[in-house]
Amino acid sequence: MVVWSLEPHVRRFFEAYGPVAHRLRYPFIFIPILLTLLLSLGALRLQELRVDDPSYVFTPTTARWRTELKIFTDNWPLNENKFLPGKSFETKRFINVLIKAKDGGNILRDPILKEIKVLNGWIMNNISVPTYDGKFELSYQDLCLSYDWICGANEHIEMLIERKKVHQVIDLTFPRGGTKDNPVYLGTTLGDVTLFPNNTVETAKITQLFYFLKQEQKLLRDYSSAFSYAVERFLLHIYSSDLIELSMAHYQSLQDGLDENAKHFAPNFVFSFATLSFYALACSFTLKRGKKRIDWLKSKPWVAVSGLATTLLAIGSGFGCLLLLGVNYNVINTIIPFLIISIGIDDMFIMVACWESSDSRKPVPQRISQTLAHAGVAITITNVTDILSFAIGCITDLPGIRLFCLYTWVTILFCYVYQLTFVCGWMAVMGEVEAAQRHSLLLYKLYDKVADSTNGNAAKRITYPENLRQFQRTPIKSYSISDYSDDVSQSSNDSGVSSGKISPGESKNNWKKSKCAIIPNTACPVGPPIYRTSAPLPPKDPSSLPHAEPTMIVRFFSKNYAPFILQNSVRAITILAYFIYVIIALYGCMNFQEGLNPANLVTNDHYIAKYFTDIKAFWKKGPQLHVAVLAPPSLIDERQRNAMLNVISSLENTPYTLGREGTVFFLIEYMNYLEELNAELENTEKLWKTKLLKWLKYTGGASQWQSDIKLNKTTQEFEAYRFTIAMKNIVEPNDHKMATKMLREIADKQPFQIEIFHEAFPFADQYLIILPATAMNIGISLICMGIVSFLLVPSIPSGVVTFISIVSIAMGVFGYMTIWGVKLDAVSMISIIMSIGFAVDLSAHIIYAFVTSHGDTRQRVIGALEALGWPIFQGASSTIAGVSILYTVNAYIILTFFKTIWLTMVIGMLHGLLFIPIFLSFIPVGFFRIHKSVEMH
């Protein structure tokens, strides 16, 4: 059955493209450089387009929390002079300080509380920032969010100090204390608490101080930022105490932590690039056969330099192009250069390997054509699949991943184009250098002089006068000196000169002896000119000339490595090892964990990492779920009133909420008030409207009830109101996910248009979407990779083998990532998408080399390893060497990237050099239905 494939068409295109690349080699070198310089102007817009807000970068664009947050902010907007802590979600300038006793004990001890009080007073009164004109110093008292111009002063510390005096007034039950009509919520001020049997606080291990700053006017917002950094400097570098230890965060801390990651990337990239440069240059030198000397004719150091330069050009062009187009940039994109240098150098290794396997007797344009006929298809498969895998990643709803994938596939596209222009141009130039017998590094002539075999002295090549050159014996076609190098070394001192006429009938030996005189650029001993008196003898038949000898490493793969792994005992051990590999990978795939802990976004030594660890003490018991009632019931109607109470109960009685003891709601407090009065609950307007409104105005908690109720000023009807319910057991990411999912499902079933919100919802929405988004991206990627494999390899069976190998590598990367401690989150999702693209690189090369080789199955496996075993090893090992420096950085994002790349390269290399060749060795050649036209080796 004849199956249509793109491979022959792509191969023929590159065969035709080779002479074009040779002819346009100099434009192909200079145009990418000029284009990169032009596009790099986009870097001027980097700060303008940079977006590092974690709530934007790491949460879905269509996430429900965005709608929920908008409902709360629209109905209860921030009022900077009517501010109550915990009642607004728009605060974008704040400082939060978590405090524990240095001995790890109870912070309710008097010395500890007094130390905290001193620290609080110092921050409020003694830290200031100058105005821009230098005339004034602004302290917290000038910049705070206030209630009727009075700054919040962390009154709970003073309350705890005086708790013995006020015990009859303020009840220290947890989490909701205070009086019946004026509740004080302790769940957000005390953490890691132990309780007496009567549910009052016995001990607490941690407390927190809040400082909320002005933000509406830009000038004040800037001063508030400066004050935040002033407090940061004081707490981290100046303050010390023998009694307490602290952790802190302000609004910009997480973004600063992300910036810190980016700062680690810059020096690491320089180190990686230098390592890969050294590696690529070292691999570009060829050793002479049987000698431990560099073959300066066939080495290609400048091609290696061009491959390295291509990666830099691609990064500058890709990033610059998108920045010029106004595409946002985020800090995760700093990973991309590591990917591009890996892809670019891998492609360069393939190009050089295919050049070395081309026919050195052919003119340079034909050698370029032969090189691209094989290398062009190979790097097209890998680059197209890489581009597709990242383009598919752009459909995800996570902005950070979408931006990363967009920048990556555009940069890979530039890298691919520059491989076919810039690198091809350099390949053509250095091909001409090789054909002209010039030094591959310094470019001077290598064979201008040949040692005289008699006296060891160098003899100069004869240069004849112009009028006598027509009589010089010259072959019809010029051949490289390498075609005759063995003959030249064996010629005698007088072999370059003939004293008589040479006729066409002279022996081959005589032709051989006279060869040095008739080959251009070949040195001959000084002697009389040779006059052509008959037709020149033809040179050796090209088919009889010696082929280019493989390098020592290539011979190792063909003569040693391939025969070794094809031994039956080795094949049996390898099959067993593969089954063990699959079992472990499947175990990891089935036991993965989800969730991106915010602390993982920064380096472990960044100060906010300790803050995220300490804040979990408050997530065990006490955080507040905010509940909005957007279509309030008529409280006069007993059925609607009871239905509202049922709504409260349904949200209170879950595994993630504390029950009635943690609910703060004016309706419940009012009903408690009526119960104290022994009032009968009549269904009258007087009781449920007139008296209620009066109670809300004059009760002790009037200020907080006022901030919770949206009242129609004309009709005095409730338009909306809100209340809070205490939560528990939301420490880990999976807890956030499950709690969010459950509570939303409950809220959606209730009447009165209930909406809920908690500060952890943005990250919970990422946890909720990450698994289906990852599964969708992997599925689409594998389908697209399969289609490309079927279209760009010469037969359907070879496409099937390629697809199976891609699945095997991706499964291994995902499974072993889990075992190595990497969770499924936005960062690892990027890495999984990336691994699928690299899986194609490492498997398609060897399979394509197998089907385009010749002979039986064994010969084809040996031929494939001979042709591309070394380039595959070079590409994988160079990438591993380049990213190894990242293991020294103590940051989750960077380590996740390192682990994924390392696993992808190691597992991919094992597949390309071991598992796939052995798997292919069991399959008869006839199974692949390979057309004779694709057998190129």
Side-chain angles (χ1 to χ4, degrees), residues 393-405:
C394 292
I395 68 176
T396 185
D397 200 29
L398 292 169
I401 294 179
R402 189 166 60 243
L403 289 174
F404 176 87
C405 291

Side-chain angles (χ1 to χ4, degrees), residues 180-224:
K180 293 289 184 181
D181 64 342
N182 186 19
V184 175
Y185 193 75
L186 300 177
T188 54
T189 58
L190 297 176
D192 202 2
V193 298
T194 57
L195 304 176
F196 288 113
N198 63 353
N199 214 36
T200 58
V201 177
E202 180 183 6
T203 65
K205 298 291 183 65
I206 189 169
T207 187
Q208 56 184 330
L209 306 177
F210 301 96
Y211 306 92
F212 297 96
L213 304 168
K214 297 183 186 296
Q215 63 187 50
E216 288 185 353
Q217 299 180 27
K218 184 181 183 307
L219 181 62
L220 289 176
R221 188 163 62 247
D222 293 341
Y223 287 142
S224 295

Side-chain angles (χ1 to χ4, degrees), residues 102 104 322 329 359 361 365 410 463 476 478 495 508 570 580 595 621 655 756 798 841 851 913:
K102 212 156 202 176
L322 291 173
Y329 176 91
D359 191 345
R361 301 162 301 179
V410 170
T463 302
I476 297 172
S478 175
S495 64
K508 181 179 179 181
V570 177
I580 295 173
K621 191 175 183 179
I756 60 175
S798 57
D841 295 2
V851 297
L913 298 181

Side-chain angles (χ1 to χ4, degrees), residues 377-437:
V377 177
I379 67 173
T380 296
I381 292 174
T382 58
N383 281 274
V384 168
T385 50
D386 285 338
I387 290 170
L388 271 177
S389 64
F390 285 106
I392 290 166
C394 292
I395 68 176
T396 185
D397 200 29
L398 292 169
I401 294 179
R402 189 166 60 243
L403 289 174
F404 176 87
C405 291
L406 176 60
Y407 271 84
T408 303
W409 81 255
V410 170
T411 307
I412 293 174
L413 178 61
F414 274 103
C415 187
Y416 175 58
V417 172
Y418 291 166
Q419 286 285 342
L420 299 179
T421 52
F422 188 78
V423 175
C424 281
W426 271 105
M427 185 76 75
V429 169
M430 297 314 297
E432 292 292 349
V433 168
E434 181 180 333
Q437 311 298 319

Side-chain angles (χ1 to χ4, degrees), residues 102 366 461 547 595 624 786:
K102 212 156 202 176
Q366 292 186 34
R461 180 168 54 89
H547 289 271
Q624 291 180 294

Side-chain angles (χ1 to χ4, degrees), residues 296-297 432-440 443-446:
W296 290 109
L297 179 64
E432 292 292 349
V433 168
E434 181 180 333
Q437 311 298 319
R438 291 184 177 274
H439 194 282
S440 60
L443 307 183
Y444 61 80
K445 281 278 190 178
L446 283 174

